Amino acid sequence: MTHYNRRTLLKASAAIAGASAIGFPAISYGQTEKIRIGHLTPLTGFLGALGAYATLGMRMAEEEINKAGGVMGRPIEVMSEDSVNPATAATKAQRMLEQDGATVLMGEISSASAITIMQVAARNKRLFMQIGARSDTLRGKNCNKYTFHVDIPNTVMVNAVGKALLRDNLVKDKKFFTLTADYVFGHDLLGAAKRFFAANHGNLIGDELIATDVTDFSPYLLKLRQAKPDVVCCNLAGNQVTNLIKQYAEFGLPYPIVGFNLNTADAWAAGDGNLSGTWPTVWHHDLDTPASKAFVAAFTKKHEKPPENHAWIEYISFKIMAQAMNETKSTDTEKLIQYFEKETQFDILKSRKGYFRAWDHQLVQEAYPFTVKAKGKAKDKWDFLALGPAIPAANEPLDVINPTKEQNPCTLT
């Protein structure tokens, strides 16, 4: 989720055009050769901390898959690199497919970089499992048949928090002020937030677009003090959330703060006593299922810290890909697409299995709101978040919190 402006778009387009001009050779593998997977994730910049956890989850899955016999009796080899920015991500993705022998592409957290990798995948007719980027537009107007999306989209995050806010009477006739990341992810999240406010009689009295390299939030906090909202809503990403939360606590503003996006690594970095309010998550290490608890125990033993949600999502994504290749007995792109489009169910360590919707390639799954434990109640520095009940409820269809066909302009081509 790096800054996504016109200059970046032009650089990315040039990189893709240049790369696509080179011929793409046919690749055939012997049965004993490794299955190579191209993996991209941000390891620097404001999403670098999330990418570090993503890499740990990916490596753990790679080790387990190979220890269990690999895929179709062949070991997998993951070529993992820092995606850096959209243009670099596109160039690296093309090279991985064209020169390095990657069978599929996986990874990413940045919505901006994900778009350019999606274009490379479609141009080369190769599968891209887009793991960690959340912008609705990736699954909407920018969707393509070669990309499948694992993380929950922005609309689901808004709905996860929104249900908790409605329960606590924090929406109807309340004045909201939003702070939004100024790039494709933030713009998209703000759109989803506006739709939620409008549908539930919330009043958006102000919004500030904030560049992704901003670290000093005092000018924006002064504007909040002048606006006097009932609720402040954070639509930022990565370590910007951490910086905002710390500075918000220092300012001592009296308005409750909530957010429509947060990853647990950023929450942990904010520290016990600084974070408050209600936030969304796709998974948390306190989730009480046998499979999730086993994963957390193994990860914690290996790394001496619990897994963050990007470690979990990379882990289950590589397990999903291995299952697909083993059950189809193939790495062929079309066969894998057909397998996923059958809405095959996958164990994703939650109470309910997940599946990819055939018409927009979104993994449908449970999401969760979380709040913050009272100061002093945490057992350790990772324990101050209180996970709420899964949404949708057990008696509701899994896809009820996702954009509908009427709301999502996806046409798979």
Side-chain angles (χ1 to χ4, degrees):
M1 294 183 285
T2 47
H3 190 59
Y4 200 54
N5 55 27
R6 185 172 181 272
R7 182 177 294 177
T8 303
L9 275 169
L10 290 172
K11 287 182 179 178
S13 299
I16 295 167
S20 63
I22 307 171
F24 186 80
I27 301 173
S28 60
Y29 296 95
Q31 288 303 305
T32 58
E33 290 183 0
K34 294 177 179 178
I35 294 173
R36 309 194 81 192
I37 294 173
H39 179 256
L40 291 161
T41 199
L43 296 174
T44 52
F46 74 113
L47 298 172
L50 306 181
Y53 273 100
T55 301
L56 293 179
M58 176 272 292
R59 290 299 178 197
M60 187 169 168
E62 180 187 25
E63 290 173 11
E64 290 184 7
I65 291 166
N66 284 334
K67 188 175 180 180
V71 171
M72 298 181 291
R74 297 159 60 187
I76 63 168
E77 178 185 1
V78 183
M79 304 172 290
S80 186
E81 296 187 29
D82 183 358
S83 51
V84 185
N85 58 46
T88 301
T91 300
K92 288 185 174 183
Q94 182 69 36
R95 190 203 70 225
M96 285 176 170
L97 291 176
E98 190 168 74
Q99 298 178 19
D100 300 338
T103 304
V104 298
L105 297 171
M106 297 181 69
E108 204 41 64
I109 298 173
S110 162
S111 292
S113 294
I115 290 175
T116 64
I117 299 171
M118 288 171 62
Q119 293 168 346
V120 171
R123 196 180 304 276
N124 289 282
K125 295 181 169 48
R126 289 299 184 96
L127 191 68
F128 172 36
M129 183 170 283
Q130 191 285 103
I131 296 176
R134 293 171 171 171
S135 178
D136 282 348
T137 191
L138 304 181
R139 297 94 166 142
K141 65 180 181 180
N142 287 298
C143 73
N144 67 55
K145 67 173 286 188
Y146 297 98
T147 303
F148 289 80
H149 307 274
V150 184
D151 209 342
I152 52 177
N154 283 343
T155 292
V156 172
M157 293 195 297
V158 170
N159 287 339
V161 173
K163 283 181 176 287
L165 297 180
L166 290 169
R167 177 199 64 206
D168 297 337
N169 297 315
L170 283 175
V171 182
K172 186 177 180 181
D173 299 326
K174 300 296 184 183
K175 295 181 295 183
F176 286 82
F177 198 108
T178 54
L179 301 175
T180 300
D182 189 11
Y183 75 113
V184 63
F185 166 79
H187 299 171
D188 191 90
L189 186 58
L190 177 60
K194 285 180 175 179
R195 290 191 294 272
F196 172 77
F197 295 145
N200 295 282
H201 307 287
N203 182 19
L204 181 61
I205 64 169
D207 176 68
E208 289 289 329
L209 292 174
I210 301 173
T212 56
D213 58 356
V214 168
T215 57
D216 179 10
F217 289 91
S218 55
Y220 305 103
L221 298 179
L222 291 173
K223 288 183 180 181
L224 291 175
R225 183 175 285 166
Q226 294 172 347
K228 298 179 180 178
D230 295 312
V231 182
V232 175
C233 182
C234 173
N235 292 330
L236 301 177
N239 63 16
Q240 283 201 306
V241 183
T242 301
N243 292 332
L244 172 66
I245 293 302
K246 287 181 176 179
Q247 293 172 42
Y248 196 88
E250 291 170 0
F251 262 67
L253 295 178
Y255 325 114
I257 184 169
V258 301
F260 289 136
N261 177 57
L262 187 63
N263 294 285
T264 42
D266 302 318
W268 294 335
D272 187 14
N274 290 323
L275 188 67
S276 62
T278 303
W279 305 76
T281 189
V282 65
W283 178 87
H284 185 263
H285 69 273
D286 281 342
L287 187 61
D288 190 14
T289 68
S292 184
K293 291 167 83 169
F295 165 67
V296 171
F299 187 98
T300 304
K301 181 179 180 181
K302 187 178 184 65
H303 299 292
E304 299 184 339
K305 60 183 177 181
E308 196 260 359
N309 51 274
H310 281 285
W312 162 82
I313 203 166
E314 292 266 341
Y315 177 85
I316 61 109
S317 295
F318 273 80
K319 292 300 183 81
I320 287 171
M321 184 64 75
Q323 178 181 328
M325 290 178 175
N326 275 325
E327 294 193 0
T328 60
K329 295 181 173 55
S330 178
T331 59
D332 178 76
T333 298
E334 292 298 330
K335 289 181 180 178
L336 292 173
I337 290 173
Q338 291 170 14
Y339 176 82
F340 290 131
E341 287 185 342
K342 290 192 303 183
E343 300 194 348
T344 306
Q345 293 199 340
F346 302 97
D347 182 0
I348 55 174
L349 315 186
K350 297 183 178 183
S351 296
R352 299 165 74 175
K353 292 183 177 182
Y355 64 91
F356 290 103
R357 291 198 298 196
W359 62 273
D360 67 351
H361 290 181
Q362 171 62 47
L363 185 73
V364 179
Q365 58 182 305
E366 296 167 307
Y368 313 86
F370 69 81
T371 53
V372 182
K373 296 178 181 178
K375 188 170 175 60
K377 295 293 184 181
K379 294 179 294 186
D380 54 46
K381 63 182 180 181
W382 298 292
D383 185 50
F384 60 87
L385 306 179
L387 192 65
I391 66 158
N395 62 346
E396 295 179 292
L398 263 184
D399 68 348
V400 70
I401 57 174
N402 283 269
T404 64
K405 285 186 176 181
E406 291 71 29
Q407 297 168 331
N408 183 10
C410 173
T411 303
L412 295 174
T413 55

